[in-house]
Amino acid sequence: MAQTEAVNDSALREEALGVFEAIPQKMTAIKQTEENPDGVPLTAEKIELGKLLFFDPRMSSSQLISCQTCHNVGMGGTDALPTSIGHGWQKGPRNSPTMLNAIFNAAQFWDGRAGDLAEQAKGPVQAGVEMSNTPEVVVQTLNSMPEYVDAFKAAFPGEADPVTFDNFAAAIEQFEATLITPNSAFDRYLAGDDAAMDDQEKRGLQAFIETGCTACHYGVNFGGQDYHPFGLIAKPGAEVLPAGDKGRYEISQTADDEYVFRAAPLRNAALTAPYFHSGVVWDLAEAVKIMSSAQIGTELSDQQAEDITAFLGALTGEQPIIDHPILPMRTDTTPLPAPM
């Protein structure tokens, strides 16, 4: 589309509605299925407990690292590092994905090894390169603080022993389900506001659709639904696609899964540099060009790349405003921090 060509908003919107969905204004339930269309309701008690746990560094063995450390809700849900720093100052193997809108992903982690956010919440706690803790010590820590015991009883009423690692994860999942970013310029455009996006952003949306980006990046989260080989047409260089990280192959041990990763969600992409699982690309326009060449075999013009990059900026939604909670006080029975 030429830069001066007028955009047909009605036609473009209709085309976009066939591929994408808007972020909802509010989440009231999760895990809806055909068998259980009502899903699991979000409750204020679970959300508030999950918020405490998300921000509490005492869930790590060093008592220095929390979920918030690597998924900073004030920085697009990431830590803005190529790969995160964990226990013992170890560098993690992959870039930390954003937790904003993660509730809309079909699975969690770059390789999709966690089926939902509750399962995901258990992983970093136990990973030696991240929080390096154990479920037993987490439960011991929580039981040592009466405020936490009361909060678990309120969040999981009727359970004889509500302070469990499963409930720990379920509460975090409920809090993270509230970390959504509605009302982006694109969502307002999708709802009928022609003026919500400027002409360049509209050209970028058109190019995003026409060049085939929607083969991987579709739905409410512009990705996060399926798995694709990184380098479907041409593999990028080793600095972008490290040879030692074979993606889903490490989970399935199936040759077809070598260098296969979950399609990255693109909501708030302008806030979440650096890009890719290797975290080596800091410029969004460069990331757009790499993906176009590697995944769909298209060499974008500079104008197309600029337009698509501008459109991706229109996917930045209203960021969640989260007050840092006052955490329960430790007691004499709370485990001491382990050396980093």
Side-chain angles (χ1 to χ4, degrees):
M1 179 179 290
Q3 184 169 348
T4 56
E5 185 178 340
V7 173
N8 183 327
D9 287 305
S10 295
L12 180 58
R13 182 178 295 111
E14 183 177 357
E15 194 170 12
L17 283 168
V19 184
F20 309 113
E21 299 174 54
I23 297 285
Q25 293 293 316
K26 184 179 181 180
M27 296 292 290
T28 58
I30 57 176
K31 300 183 175 179
Q32 293 93 335
T33 64
E34 289 186 8
E35 297 76 20
N36 182 20
D38 293 334
V40 177
L42 301 184
T43 70
E45 293 81 7
K46 288 187 177 73
I47 292 169
E48 188 59 30
L49 173 58
K51 178 180 173 182
L52 292 172
L53 298 170
F54 186 91
F55 280 92
D56 197 333
R58 293 167 299 186
M59 301 304 104
S60 67
S61 64
S62 66
Q63 303 189 12
L64 183 64
I65 302 168
S66 68
C67 302
Q68 163 75 357
T69 303
C70 299
H71 302 287
N72 193 313
V73 294
M75 299 199 304
T78 74
D79 56 12
L81 296 173
T83 59
S84 297
I85 304 300
H87 187 77
W89 311 113
Q90 299 175 87
K91 289 176 64 175
R94 293 174 182 158
N95 178 261
S96 180
T98 178
M99 297 308 295
L100 301 184
N101 304 311
I103 190 63
F104 303 120
N105 297 333
Q108 307 299 326
F109 295 115
W110 283 98
D111 54 20
R113 65 185 182 274
D116 57 34
L117 284 172
E119 186 178 352
Q120 187 277 331
K122 295 178 180 181
V125 173
Q126 301 175 80
V129 73
E130 297 183 66
M131 298 169 77
S132 194
N133 211 346
T134 67
E136 294 75 20
V137 172
V138 168
V139 170
Q140 180 186 357
T141 300
L142 295 169
N143 273 319
S144 75
M145 293 180 258
E147 287 179 70
Y148 266 131
V149 174
D150 291 342
F152 271 86
K153 288 178 179 177
F156 300 94
E159 295 191 15
D161 183 15
V163 185
T164 67
F165 194 55
D166 284 344
N167 286 349
F168 160 87
I172 291 177
E173 177 179 52
Q174 291 234 342
F175 170 66
E176 290 180 342
T178 69
L179 300 180
I180 60 175
T181 62
N183 298 322
S184 69
F186 169 74
D187 287 338
R188 299 196 306 275
Y189 180 78
L190 207 61
D193 182 358
D194 290 348
M197 295 201 303
D198 64 27
D199 288 344
Q200 183 177 32
E201 292 165 345
K202 293 174 185 178
R203 293 196 308 269
L205 169 59
Q206 186 75 66
F208 190 90
I209 295 172
E210 289 180 348
T211 58
C213 302
T214 54
C216 299
H217 301 284
Y218 57 86
V220 65
N221 217 11
F222 277 70
Q225 301 304 308
D226 286 317
Y227 306 96
H228 304 274
F230 193 169
L232 185 62
I233 304 300
K235 279 188 166 49
E239 72 281 0
V240 175
L241 184 63
D245 187 347
K246 295 188 177 183
R248 279 185 65 78
Y249 173 79
E250 298 171 11
I251 309 300
S252 69
Q253 297 296 301
T254 300
D256 288 346
D257 281 341
E258 286 192 0
Y259 304 109
V260 168
F261 296 88
R262 187 195 64 184
L266 298 182
R267 291 281 184 174
N268 303 293
L271 307 179
T272 59
Y275 302 105
F276 307 133
H277 67 285
S278 50
V280 297
V281 176
W282 287 87
D283 182 72
L284 184 54
E286 181 184 355
V288 167
K289 288 183 176 181
I290 289 172
M291 291 305 291
S292 176
S293 174
Q295 297 305 108
I296 56 180
T298 300
E299 296 298 331
L300 297 176
S301 68
D302 289 342
Q303 186 64 61
Q304 283 179 311
E306 290 174 9
D307 291 348
I308 290 175
T309 302
F311 165 64
L312 293 179
L315 298 181
T316 300
E318 294 177 358
Q319 302 299 292
I321 305 299
I322 307 295
D323 293 330
H324 195 301
I326 305 301
L327 302 175
M329 288 183 59
R330 65 177 297 115
T331 67
D332 291 342
T333 61
T334 302
L336 296 176
M340 279 285 280

